[in-house]
Amino acid sequence: MPSMGLARIVDRPDTKSGRAFDLLVQFLIVVSLVTYSIETLPNTTPSSRHLLGIVEGVIVGVFTLEYVLRVLAAERKLAFVFSFFGLIDLLAILPFYLSLGIDLRSVRAFRLLRLFRILKLARYSKAVRRFHRALSIAREEIVLFLCVTAILLFLAAVGIHHFESEAQPEQFASVFHSLWWAVATLTTVGYGDVYPITVGGRIFTFGILLIGLGVVSVPAGLVASALSKARAIEDAEQFEVDRDQAIAGE
Amino acid sequence: MPSMGLARIVDRPDTKSGRAFDLLVQFLIVVSLVTYSIETLPNTTPSSRHLLGIVEGVIVGVFTLEYVLRVLAAERKLAFVFSFFGLIDLLAILPFYLSLGIDLRSVRAFRLLRLFRILKLARYSKAVRRFHRALSIAREEIVLFLCVTAILLFLAAVGIHHFESEAQPEQFASVFHSLWWAVATLTTVGYGDVYPITVGGRIFTFGILLIGLGVVSVPAGLVASALSKARAIEDAEQFEVDRDQAIAGE
Amino acid sequence: MPSMGLARIVDRPDTKSGRAFDLLVQFLIVVSLVTYSIETLPNTTPSSRHLLGIVEGVIVGVFTLEYVLRVLAAERKLAFVFSFFGLIDLLAILPFYLSLGIDLRSVRAFRLLRLFRILKLARYSKAVRRFHRALSIAREEIVLFLCVTAILLFLAAVGIHHFESEAQPEQFASVFHSLWWAVATLTTVGYGDVYPITVGGRIFTFGILLIGLGVVSVPAGLVASALSKARAIEDAEQFEVDRDQAIAGE
Amino acid sequence: MPSMGLARIVDRPDTKSGRAFDLLVQFLIVVSLVTYSIETLPNTTPSSRHLLGIVEGVIVGVFTLEYVLRVLAAERKLAFVFSFFGLIDLLAILPFYLSLGIDLRSVRAFRLLRLFRILKLARYSKAVRRFHRALSIAREEIVLFLCVTAILLFLAAVGIHHFESEAQPEQFASVFHSLWWAVATLTTVGYGDVYPITVGGRIFTFGILLIGLGVVSVPAGLVASALSKARAIEDAEQFEVDRDQAIAGE
């Protein structure tokens, strides 16, 4: 069976050729994101656009080859096609083939589909797996505090609208306009496009910041502590694998 | 007793109809906040104002029904009426009925009363309960550090006023004006509406920031660690409840 | 001995009159800071200035009485006069009496001396004591990281000066001017009065921020963890005091 | 052997003269950085330039003496010359001697070489050693999260470009231009030179900030926790050294 030799390339990152193939795919994903960015530059010459098109073609070619190999290498082919990574691999190449038939280049949102290729990186990334685990540990609490943050932002917007809407009817026209101020302030970004000018609004800002800094920083702390727990679990699992191998090797 | 059947709706979130009723109330609270926000939009047409009025009427109707049911369902009716949630439920509907008698729509602050409905959410929210517990654990320390923060802000304002009041007599007119700069700077929001321009003021800003970042971030850290303690207590309580049930079930 | 009765007031915060006196002093310190701030307001009328003068006189009167009582109540009077709190108490009133003889009101820096009164609060504040303890735990490390922060700020200033001094000769005139940018950026205050506009400067900013956020946030973390250690020590001490009292009481 | 006496100066910080020499070198490094900064000032007079040249000459003289002494004091001279600190010591003086032969003062980047002297501080600094250790503990994770941060910044830039490029074609011309916004926003610096003005862009900013604050703050947390681990290791080593000395001294 010839597919078995090829299967080794896509399925066995522990072999030399498998590792090389993985690195190639990762490299092409990054190249693909860079070409996407270059295409957004305002003054691209026709010749450079032509070059970008060729690069895109080569990338899609390699990704198509990878997809075919993965399907061939899979024991249960249909299960792979409808798995998370199977769909992602398909989505990474499908838009290109569709755009060959119909001219979809003008549809801006369509080009965004190419960014799904970033998800292909998830296959190689320990960070994504750990994040996933950390989120499942702290999901309930993170949702809880996102709700609290949402309520706080709403109250901040209502309050500042109450104080500033008369002095600055443009910037603080409604609660919705004021929400933008609340987001920029409570995350401490503070662009400086909207800020309170009345005494009442400034005292209110002071008060809401004292409370808000504590609340807004909580989810970040939860993520950080969940990540360290996820790491401890990973280490424990690795320890067990190592021990089992050591016992088996005796 | 017919009230017993209805009591089940408001008092028993573990039954299907009780859960549905709870979700309806939560949904209406959110709708109520959204309509409040929409009313603040500058260009609302008379027809949309009319629609918002109807929505408000329906919401108050359901909340009134809920209030009556809760009173009926309560074993000690008077105790419920004067309990925290009893008063909140009343405050959520009272302004509407008052505004029917007298035209209070022109009084802007009066409309803010509607926001008390947000407190109704506290009945369903685990986050609020945990916050409450966390604050009671760390209350003394948080008050302590809010005082330290206040003193630091005051000293920052006095210092920057000393350095900048001559160069920028408008922005740093007095210690009170300078306090606004101190708040925006030490929380690292930094809107950019006021900033030091003298060499002395800039060096002072550098020094106060080095100290200030450490101090201002402490209360947030206290809240975060108190929350994790509160969670541990909750888990321990839950464990005891589960164990007692297991023992009782044996 | 009549001083013994008065000594009870200043030395015994566990008695009712002692507690009342302490609260009065704390209240007058805050009043004193507020009057200081009001005096900096640009448009104060002569009559309000007169009023502020009377308030200042009353405050100094009470503080003088307090000082005399503390000296009388002290067992070793000379030791108290030259102790930290003895000197602070003297500094809180001395400027006023000096200004009676000579007209020092015109000397702006002289008025700043009044702020030493804030240090009188240290006598009552647990927070100050805990901060003091926390700093002595983490002093060596905090100094270490302040040095690292200083070096990082210097390198950031040199780097941005290299990239931006040609494009913005005004804002980034020298390394000293660029230091202001470095402070505002690495503390994430970001006033927006100076920012890079060249591609090189922006990439440099990105790099230095990735490193800098980690470094600048370390001292704040050290303070927070030292404070929790200081608290643990306090609790342990309190436990021992309680136990000893319990044993003594048996 | 006369070099043995001199070796004591550079190699033995536990002797009095050795300690004095170390302090002199550290002082001259700082002086060197200050003169570097002064030279960047726009309005330096010829006489002050002359003075700075003399100071530079003296500093290079002392550093040359130090280099020669260290070579003489080293047991394996060649090994020292090609060691990290040997090369740094050479780089600290070489540019000066090269510039005597050829006039390299006009080459701006050449002057930056002088900053390598800052690395000489690493010999004395416990902070650098601890940082080094902490990074080797957390290296893998920090690299992981820098990758995640990079991907997040890229997605933020793509997203905001999608929403804002039509409304603000100047500021958000391409994904590369938008990256600058992403850096300034997700680090919460928020200069205010670029910010979203469309409703879609503002909602996107809100969403990416909620996720981003958690992600961007993780590396800083990893550094802080690695530093505390590095300190624990240092303390354990110190304990062992002390114990061994105590046993040896018995």
Side-chain angles (χ1 to χ4, degrees):
Chain A
M1 242 170 86
S3 70
M4 277 312 288
L6 290 165
R8 214 159 271 160
I9 293 177
V10 293
D11 258 13
R12 301 279 297 269
D14 47 335
T15 64
K16 213 173 168 182
S17 56
R19 180 94 191 112
F21 188 77
D22 279 4
L23 281 174
L24 175 70
V25 170
Q26 290 172 44
F27 174 72
L28 287 181
I29 293 169
V30 172
V31 168
S32 172
L33 299 177
V34 172
T35 58
Y36 177 90
S37 304
I38 292 173
E39 281 178 38
T40 63
L41 279 170
N43 306 314
T44 42
T45 58
S47 70
S48 66
R49 282 204 174 268
H50 185 68
L51 190 70
L52 289 173
I54 293 172
V55 171
E56 175 70 8
V58 171
I59 290 170
V60 170
V62 176
F63 285 179
T64 308
L65 180 70
E66 184 205 359
Y67 183 64
V68 172
L69 289 180
R70 284 199 193 275
V71 171
L72 288 176
E75 274 184 53
R76 299 168 56 219
K77 289 179 203 334
L78 215 69
F80 170 74
V81 171
F82 290 103
S83 72
F84 174 73
F85 283 121
L87 290 171
I88 288 298
D89 286 346
L90 191 61
L91 270 171
I93 50 174
L94 208 62
F96 178 82
Y97 292 115
L98 286 177
S99 70
L100 290 182
I102 326 132
D103 189 22
L104 290 159
R105 296 216 164 208
S106 53
V107 188
R108 272 178 77 227
F110 184 77
R111 278 178 52 220
L112 283 174
L113 285 175
R114 250 201 263 164
L115 294 175
F116 275 107
R117 286 178 193 163
I118 236 172
L119 290 173
K120 281 170 80 84
L121 281 176
R123 186 180 270 129
Y124 310 105
S125 172
K126 265 168 81 175
V128 172
R129 245 172 300 154
R130 196 178 296 165
F131 244 97
H132 192 251
R133 199 193 286 262
L135 286 183
S136 72
I137 292 173
R139 193 198 301 137
E140 201 195 349
E141 279 194 286
I142 289 171
V143 168
L144 216 71
F145 282 103
L146 289 185
C147 290
V148 173
T149 303
I151 289 173
L152 193 83
L153 287 172
F154 175 75
L155 289 178
V158 168
I160 206 73
H161 176 255
H162 180 73
F163 284 111
E164 295 287 327
S165 62
E166 272 175 37
Q168 303 187 83
E170 197 93 349
Q171 274 89 345
F172 296 95
S174 74
V175 169
F176 297 108
H177 291 78
S178 307
L179 262 173
W180 173 240
W181 169 86
V183 168
T185 298
L186 283 173
T187 58
T188 78
V189 172
Y191 287 121
D193 52 343
V194 275
Y195 48 82
I197 55 170
T198 65
V199 172
R202 290 183 168 186
I203 293 172
F204 177 78
T205 304
F206 173 49
I208 205 87
L209 271 171
L210 272 194
I211 303 166
L213 293 187
V215 173
V216 171
S217 66
V218 165
L222 292 174
V223 170
S225 94
L227 276 166
S228 75
K229 269 186 216 154
R231 199 206 175 167
I233 294 171
E234 271 174 36
D235 288 349
E237 285 175 358
Q238 191 58 43
F239 173 76
E240 275 177 35
V241 168
D242 292 350
R243 196 192 51 193
D244 292 354
Q245 285 179 343
I247 292 169
E250 259 172 35
Chain B
M1 242 170 85
S3 70
M4 277 313 288
L6 290 164
R8 212 160 272 159
I9 291 177
V10 293
D11 258 13
R12 301 278 298 270
D14 47 336
T15 64
K16 213 173 168 181
S17 56
R19 179 96 192 111
F21 188 77
D22 278 3
L23 281 173
L24 174 70
V25 171
Q26 289 173 45
F27 173 72
L28 287 181
I29 293 169
V30 173
V31 169
S32 172
L33 299 177
V34 172
T35 59
Y36 177 90
S37 303
I38 291 173
E39 281 179 37
T40 64
L41 279 170
N43 306 314
T44 43
T45 58
S47 69
S48 65
R49 283 203 175 269
H50 185 69
L51 190 71
L52 290 172
I54 292 171
V55 171
E56 175 70 7
V58 171
I59 290 170
V60 170
V62 176
F63 285 179
T64 308
L65 180 70
E66 184 206 358
Y67 183 65
V68 172
L69 288 180
R70 284 200 193 275
V71 171
L72 288 176
E75 274 183 52
R76 298 168 56 219
K77 291 183 203 331
L78 215 70
F80 170 74
V81 171
F82 289 103
S83 72
F84 175 73
F85 283 121
L87 289 170
I88 289 297
D89 286 346
L90 191 61
L91 270 170
I93 50 174
L94 208 62
F96 178 83
Y97 292 113
L98 285 177
S99 70
L100 290 183
I102 325 133
D103 188 21
L104 290 158
R105 297 216 163 208
S106 53
V107 188
R108 272 178 76 228
F110 184 77
R111 278 179 51 220
L112 283 175
L113 285 175
R114 250 203 264 164
L115 294 175
F116 275 106
R117 286 176 194 166
I118 235 172
L119 290 173
K120 280 171 80 84
L121 281 175
R123 187 180 270 129
Y124 310 104
S125 171
K126 264 168 83 175
V128 171
R129 246 172 299 153
R130 196 178 295 166
F131 244 97
H132 192 252
R133 200 193 286 262
L135 286 183
S136 72
I137 292 173
R139 193 199 301 139
E140 200 195 349
E141 279 194 286
I142 288 171
V143 169
L144 217 72
F145 282 103
L146 289 186
C147 291
V148 173
T149 304
I151 289 173
L152 192 83
L153 286 172
F154 175 75
L155 289 178
V158 168
I160 206 74
H161 177 254
H162 181 72
F163 285 111
E164 295 287 326
S165 61
E166 272 175 37
Q168 303 187 83
E170 197 94 348
Q171 273 89 345
F172 297 95
S174 75
V175 169
F176 297 108
H177 292 76
S178 306
L179 262 174
W180 173 240
W181 169 87
V183 167
T185 298
L186 283 173
T187 57
T188 79
V189 171
Y191 287 120
D193 52 343
V194 275
Y195 48 83
I197 55 170
T198 65
V199 172
R202 289 182 168 186
I203 293 172
F204 176 78
T205 304
F206 172 50
I208 205 88
L209 270 172
L210 273 194
I211 303 167
L213 293 187
V215 173
V216 172
S217 66
V218 165
L222 291 174
V223 170
S225 95
L227 277 166
S228 75
K229 268 185 215 155
R231 198 205 177 171
I233 294 170
E234 272 174 36
D235 288 349
E237 285 175 357
Q238 191 59 43
F239 173 76
E240 276 177 35
V241 168
D242 292 349
R243 196 192 51 194
D244 292 353
Q245 285 179 342
I247 292 168
E250 260 171 33
Chain C
M1 240 171 87
S3 69
M4 278 312 288
L6 290 164
R8 215 159 270 162
I9 292 177
V10 292
D11 258 12
R12 301 278 298 270
D14 48 335
T15 64
K16 213 173 168 181
S17 57
R19 180 95 192 112
F21 189 77
D22 279 5
L23 281 174
L24 175 70
V25 170
Q26 289 172 45
F27 174 71
L28 287 181
I29 293 168
V30 172
V31 168
S32 172
L33 299 177
V34 171
T35 58
Y36 178 90
S37 303
I38 292 173
E39 281 179 36
T40 64
L41 279 170
N43 306 315
T44 42
T45 58
S47 70
S48 65
R49 283 205 175 268
H50 185 68
L51 191 70
L52 290 172
I54 293 172
V55 171
E56 175 70 9
V58 171
I59 290 170
V60 170
V62 176
F63 286 179
T64 307
L65 179 70
E66 184 205 359
Y67 183 64
V68 172
L69 288 180
R70 285 200 193 274
V71 170
L72 288 176
E75 274 183 53
R76 298 168 56 219
K77 291 179 204 330
L78 215 69
F80 170 74
V81 171
F82 290 103
S83 71
F84 175 74
F85 284 120
L87 290 171
I88 288 297
D89 286 345
L90 191 61
L91 270 170
I93 51 174
L94 209 61
F96 179 82
Y97 291 114
L98 286 177
S99 71
L100 290 182
I102 325 134
D103 189 20
L104 290 159
R105 296 213 165 212
S106 52
V107 188
R108 271 178 77 227
F110 185 77
R111 279 178 51 219
L112 283 174
L113 285 175
R114 252 203 261 164
L115 294 175
F116 276 106
R117 287 177 192 164
I118 236 172
L119 290 173
K120 280 171 81 83
L121 281 175
R123 186 180 270 129
Y124 310 105
S125 171
K126 264 168 83 174
V128 171
R129 245 172 300 153
R130 196 179 295 165
F131 243 97
H132 192 252
R133 198 193 287 261
L135 286 182
S136 72
I137 292 173
R139 192 198 302 137
E140 201 195 349
E141 279 194 286
I142 288 171
V143 169
L144 217 71
F145 282 102
L146 289 186
C147 291
V148 173
T149 303
I151 289 173
L152 192 83
L153 286 171
F154 175 75
L155 289 178
V158 168
I160 206 73
H161 176 254
H162 181 72
F163 284 111
E164 295 287 327
S165 62
E166 272 176 37
Q168 303 188 83
E170 198 93 349
Q171 273 89 344
F172 296 95
S174 74
V175 169
F176 297 108
H177 291 78
S178 307
L179 262 173
W180 173 240
W181 169 87
V183 167
T185 299
L186 284 173
T187 57
T188 79
V189 171
Y191 287 121
D193 52 342
V194 275
Y195 48 82
I197 55 170
T198 65
V199 172
R202 289 182 168 187
I203 293 172
F204 177 78
T205 304
F206 173 49
I208 205 89
L209 270 172
L210 272 194
I211 303 167
L213 292 188
V215 173
V216 171
S217 66
V218 166
L222 292 174
V223 170
S225 94
L227 276 166
S228 75
K229 268 185 216 155
R231 198 203 178 173
I233 293 171
E234 271 174 35
D235 288 349
E237 285 175 357
Q238 190 58 43
F239 173 76
E240 276 177 36
V241 168
D242 292 349
R243 196 192 51 193
D244 292 353
Q245 286 179 342
I247 292 169
E250 259 172 34
Chain D
M1 241 170 88
S3 71
M4 278 312 288
L6 290 164
R8 215 159 271 160
I9 292 177
V10 293
D11 258 12
R12 302 277 297 270
D14 47 336
T15 64
K16 212 172 168 183
S17 56
R19 180 94 191 111
F21 189 78
D22 278 5
L23 281 174
L24 175 70
V25 170
Q26 290 173 45
F27 173 73
L28 287 181
I29 293 169
V30 173
V31 168
S32 172
L33 299 177
V34 171
T35 58
Y36 177 90
S37 303
I38 292 173
E39 281 179 36
T40 64
L41 279 170
N43 306 315
T44 42
T45 58
S47 69
S48 66
R49 284 206 173 268
H50 185 68
L51 190 70
L52 289 173
I54 292 172
V55 171
E56 175 70 8
V58 170
I59 290 170
V60 171
V62 176
F63 285 179
T64 308
L65 180 69
E66 183 206 359
Y67 183 65
V68 171
L69 288 180
R70 284 200 193 276
V71 172
L72 288 175
E75 274 184 52
R76 298 168 55 219
K77 289 177 205 333
L78 215 70
F80 170 75
V81 170
F82 290 103
S83 72
F84 175 72
F85 283 121
L87 290 171
I88 289 296
D89 285 346
L90 191 60
L91 270 170
I93 51 174
L94 209 62
F96 179 82
Y97 292 113
L98 286 177
S99 71
L100 291 182
I102 325 132
D103 189 21
L104 289 159
R105 296 215 163 209
S106 52
V107 188
R108 272 178 77 227
F110 184 77
R111 279 179 50 220
L112 283 175
L113 285 175
R114 251 203 262 165
L115 293 175
F116 275 106
R117 286 177 193 165
I118 236 172
L119 291 173
K120 281 171 79 86
L121 281 176
R123 185 180 271 130
Y124 311 104
S125 172
K126 263 168 85 175
V128 171
R129 245 173 300 153
R130 195 178 296 165
F131 244 97
H132 192 252
R133 200 194 286 261
L135 285 182
S136 71
I137 292 173
R139 193 198 302 139
E140 201 195 349
E141 279 194 286
I142 288 171
V143 169
L144 217 72
F145 283 102
L146 289 186
C147 290
V148 173
T149 304
I151 289 173
L152 192 83
L153 286 172
F154 175 75
L155 289 178
V158 168
I160 205 74
H161 176 254
H162 181 72
F163 285 111
E164 294 287 328
S165 61
E166 272 175 38
Q168 303 187 81
E170 198 94 347
Q171 273 89 346
F172 296 95
S174 74
V175 168
F176 297 108
H177 291 77
S178 306
L179 262 174
W180 173 240
W181 169 86
V183 168
T185 299
L186 283 173
T187 58
T188 77
V189 171
Y191 288 120
D193 52 343
V194 275
Y195 48 82
I197 55 170
T198 65
V199 172
R202 288 182 169 186
I203 293 172
F204 176 78
T205 304
F206 173 49
I208 205 88
L209 270 172
L210 272 194
I211 304 167
L213 292 187
V215 173
V216 171
S217 66
V218 165
L222 291 173
V223 170
S225 94
L227 277 167
S228 75
K229 269 185 215 154
R231 198 204 177 172
I233 294 171
E234 271 174 36
D235 288 349
E237 285 175 359
Q238 191 59 43
F239 174 76
E240 276 177 35
V241 168
D242 291 350
R243 196 193 51 194
D244 292 354
Q245 285 178 343
I247 292 169
E250 260 172 34

